[in-house]
Amino acid sequence: QVQLVESGGGLVQPGGSLRLSCAASGFTFSSRAMSWYRQIPGKERELVARISPFGGSREYADSVKSRFTISRDNAKSTVTLQMNSLKPEDTAVYYCKLKIGPTDYWGQGTQVTVSS
């Protein structure tokens, strides 16, 4: 059974940093692309970053380019999101996401709040 568990969220001041982690299990992690999404209450969930199975290809939303870095450790079945220079508009629930065929799998989410 697929399980995705996010951690690392919290409260941080503008300009600060956080590192989010997603622990994955129940599938062959190294063969799947992984993504981070975020959702602000009342707004549509949006793609933040995506990484290919071996980590050689990474894509980011324009709003986070140069500030966020997605990475993975296939030996540990984890995907991380390093977030630097955080802005109030980065405040959201962040989700780890996997797609297998027609099915999307989501973690429970972790709250990131950027505020002074």
Side-chain angles (χ1 to χ4, degrees):
Q1 184 175 355
V2 171
Q3 287 189 303
L4 303 171
V5 182
E6 302 95 334
S7 62
L11 175 64
V12 65
Q13 294 185 343
S17 298
L18 284 174
R19 186 176 181 87
L20 307 183
S21 295
C22 173
S25 62
F27 65 100
T28 304
F29 180 81
S30 62
S31 69
R32 299 289 178 178
M34 299 295 297
S35 300
W36 284 98
Y37 282 71
R38 67 185 181 186
Q39 186 168 24
I40 300 171
K43 296 185 177 181
E44 188 173 341
R45 191 172 298 186
E46 64 177 357
L47 176 67
V48 175
R50 180 188 293 121
I51 187 168
S52 62
F54 294 132
S57 179
R58 308 179 189 192
E59 298 180 354
Y60 300 92
D62 288 341
S63 60
V64 308
K65 286 181 179 177
S66 80
R67 299 189 298 119
F68 291 11
T69 302
I70 188 170
S71 61
R72 67 191 298 157
D73 186 337
N74 285 345
K76 297 180 179 179
S77 296
T78 60
V79 58
T80 64
L81 186 69
Q82 178 66 47
M83 305 185 295
N84 299 324
S85 301
L86 284 162
K87 305 174 181 179
E89 50 263 46
D90 294 319
T91 295
V93 178
Y94 284 72
Y95 297 91
C96 182
K97 185 249 187 177
L98 162 73
K99 189 176 186 68
I100 301 179
T103 304
D104 291 334
Y105 297 89
W106 300 91
Q108 84 287 350
T110 185
Q111 176 71 47
V112 172
T113 302
V114 185
S115 176
S116 59

